Every structure is written in C-alpha cells, then in structure tokens.
Amino acid sequence: MTPSLVYALTPGEPAGIGPDLCLLLAADAQPQALVAIASRALLTERTALLGLDVSLLDVNPGAWPRVPAPAGALYVWDTPLRAPVQPGRLDPANAAYVLETLTRAGQGCLDGTFAGMITAPVHKGVINDAGIAFSGHTEFLADLTGTPQVVMMLATQGLRVALVTTHLPLKDVAAALQPERLERVARILHADLRDKFGIPAPRILVCGLNPHAGEGGHLGREEIEVIEPVLARLRDEGLDLVGPLPADTLFTPKHLDHCDAVLAMYHDQGLPVLKYKGFGAAVNVTLGMPIVRTSVDHGTALDLAGSGRIDSGSLKVALDTAYRMTARRP
C-alpha cells in the first residue's frame, strides 16, 4: 500500500471551539493521515464533555502514521497545555501552547514531515495579553517560514478574495498601500492561482482604495498614484488584471462571473462580502509561502465551546482545499 500523505491539524485557542472541531472530524475517515497537534488531555476532556466516542491514537516524531485513521479515531501528537482549560474562558498562560502547536506544524511542513497544515481559530487578543506580539496566523507563519511577503485569501463557492493589507487599523491602510507591496501581492496571487489552484491564466479584479475608486482623484489619489501604475506595469508582463474598480459595484454578477479572484485593498473591503456569501463554507488560504496552509473562515466562538452546537463545515472545506492544493504540487 502506498503510504498516505501526513497533514498537521492545529486546534487553535484551547478555550474555543477548535478542539471540538478536531474531534468532530474524527467521525468520518479522512482520505489522508491527519495529525492533531494538541494536548491529549484537553482532547480527552472535551470528548467527555461533548459525549463523543473518539479514540485518540498517539503518534510522535519518528513514528508517523502511514495510513489514515479509521472513522471514530484521531491521531494526536501530544503538546502539553501550560494551564488547565475551561471552555469559554481565555487564559494568557496558554498562549505559548498555541504558538507551540503552530511552530510544530509549520516546521513539520518545512522539513517535509507534513504535506500541509490546517488551522482552527486562534484568539489574537489573549496571545497579546500574554506579552507576545501576534497579529495573526498569516503573519506568524510568514515569519516562521522566512517569507518576506505572503497573501491572505479567503474562498468559497464562486468567489475568491485576496488582500493587499491584512490586520491593520483602517487609519494605517493608505500609508501601507505602497507600489512595492501591491506589486508583490498581485504577483503572488497570480502565481498561486496558476500553480496551486490549476488556473492557467487567472483573471483578477482589483478594487480601488477609495469610494468610487477615487472619483478621478476627487475622493483620493491612491488609485492614480499607486494602483493604476502598478496594474499597467503588470499588464505589460501579461497578467490579466482589471481595475481599479469601485468596490461597491465590483461584487456583482456582472463582474464576478468573469473572474477567478478579487484583490481587495484591505480586510473589511473584501471579506464581509465573501463571508456573507459563504460563511461556514469558506476557507482561508495563505499564499506565497513554501508550505500549504489553510484555515477556517471564523473565530474561536468561545460561547459555543463544549456545547456541541457547532458546524464543522468550514474546517472540512479547509481540509479538502489543502488536499487538493498538495495534489497539484510536483
């Protein structure tokens, strides 16, 4: 039998729904070997709380699984908590635990142990409360992999949205919109749509920054001074980039029916539309890194942790996307 590829699954914030999602996945057999990098004690406690019948199968470096776990079982690489966990109650003491799971997964992808990593949601605030500067999975994994520029893209059925800037205060976005950044992001998006998603000639719609895409400079000059020159230069190289277009009319069938992705200038310009269209059935993909990383489209849902009233749809989409992305790699 051909050995299965091995993928890393990180449960994110231990007081949130991430551990619950990992356990719910175990109800069905996966097509590949999936290893939860998590506290075994935490998963045991959450299994009992949820009334699930899940067998936790211990694995560790040097003894990785060669076949997928059967239905009702989950491979676990035990990663100890720093403090006991109560569902729904954040504890900065466990920030280091969360980052350790991400580091193990990311390093495993870099050294070829894992074919890719799938992440459940973290809580940025509690990690910062622990005195650790942290702005999100995307930025953390960029540092870990030594990638100078990565791109955050969310996707659901019929729509992909990538971001030029990610987790920045709105007041800082215009200053961050530099030609070099925009060019790097556009190139990464084009390359990964082609190489990781199998789209031979991606067509990308580009949002303006300002209302009405600047209204000819009357509502801001970023379109004229930054966005349009970059797009023109890249079009000369053969990239199919349309814009800058007003964001309030770009997200309509007239435009979306004829594109492969939208490039938005900032977080809340593009993601509210995507999440309205596909919340719970969308995936967060980090582009531009030497590893495959996908994630859910939602947060930690602290109020639902341990309740059993959750939907694992987004995590299943994240898994399926990771499997398909690695299948396209040489």
Side-chain angles (χ1 to χ4, degrees):
M1 178 182 293
T2 302
S4 171
L5 293 176
V6 183
Y7 293 79
L9 172 65
T10 59
E13 168 53 48
I17 63 171
D20 309 36
L21 292 171
C22 295
L23 293 167
L24 289 177
L25 283 176
D28 301 313
Q30 293 294 319
Q32 303 288 350
L34 185 65
V35 175
I37 302 177
S39 162
R40 193 183 200 284
L42 170 64
L43 294 179
T44 299
E45 291 173 3
R46 202 65 62 89
T47 298
L49 182 62
L50 295 171
L52 298 175
D53 184 13
V54 176
S55 298
L56 303 178
L57 308 178
D58 293 317
V59 297
N60 53 68
W64 300 115
R66 295 175 59 84
V67 296
L74 180 66
Y75 292 123
V76 179
W77 180 8
D78 186 30
T79 306
L81 291 164
R82 303 303 199 269
V85 171
Q86 181 176 335
R89 181 168 294 180
L90 296 170
D91 187 343
N94 277 318
Y97 157 79
V98 173
L99 298 186
E100 176 65 15
T101 66
L102 296 179
T103 300
R104 286 184 170 189
Q107 291 287 4
C109 289
L110 286 172
D111 66 23
T113 297
F114 303 126
M117 61 184 289
I118 301 94
T119 61
V122 296
H123 193 286
K124 302 177 187 67
V126 74
I127 296 175
N128 282 279
D129 288 343
I132 303 170
F134 182 85
S135 55
H137 275 116
T138 303
E139 297 82 359
F140 180 84
L141 292 172
D143 288 341
L144 182 67
T145 59
T147 308
Q149 179 72 61
V150 295
V151 176
M152 178 178 176
M153 183 179 80
L154 269 74
T156 191
Q157 184 66 37
L159 180 61
R160 301 182 184 94
V161 177
L163 304 176
V164 177
T165 64
T166 52
H167 301 115
L168 288 178
L170 190 57
K171 67 181 179 61
D172 296 336
V173 169
L177 186 60
Q178 297 297 318
E180 297 78 10
R181 179 196 284 254
L182 177 57
E183 180 174 338
R184 288 195 302 267
V185 169
R187 288 186 187 278
I188 291 169
L189 177 58
H190 171 86
D192 276 9
L193 287 173
R194 182 190 61 208
D195 299 338
K196 295 180 179 177
F197 288 84
I199 302 169
R203 184 175 178 83
I204 300 168
L205 304 186
V206 182
C207 296
L209 173 67
N210 298 295
H212 301 179
E215 196 77 72
H218 296 286
L219 294 177
R221 296 191 56 82
E222 285 82 5
E223 287 76 13
I224 294 171
E225 296 175 358
V226 178
I227 301 175
E228 290 175 1
V230 170
L231 300 188
R233 185 163 59 252
L234 294 177
R235 287 191 198 104
D236 288 343
E237 297 182 14
L239 277 67
D240 190 355
L241 303 169
V242 181
L245 299 173
D248 64 340
T249 55
L250 182 157
F251 291 97
T252 56
K254 171 185 174 181
H255 295 292
L256 296 180
D257 288 348
H258 306 286
C259 82
D260 297 299
V262 173
L263 182 56
M265 295 298 112
Y266 58 94
H267 188 281
D268 280 13
Q269 183 181 59
L271 296 193
V273 180
L274 184 135
K275 292 190 177 184
Y276 176 76
K277 177 177 174 60
F279 191 70
V283 58
N284 183 339
V285 184
T286 304
L287 305 178
M289 290 195 301
I291 67 173
V292 168
R293 178 259 170 169
T294 66
S295 187
V296 295
D297 68 345
H298 57 75
T300 53
L302 295 168
D303 58 320
L304 296 178
S307 72
R309 303 190 310 274
I310 61 172
D311 184 344
S312 60
S314 181
L315 187 55
K316 291 178 180 178
V317 175
L319 282 164
D320 182 63
T321 301
Y323 297 154
R324 287 187 284 111
M325 289 174 68
T326 52
R328 294 190 178 96
R329 297 181 111 183

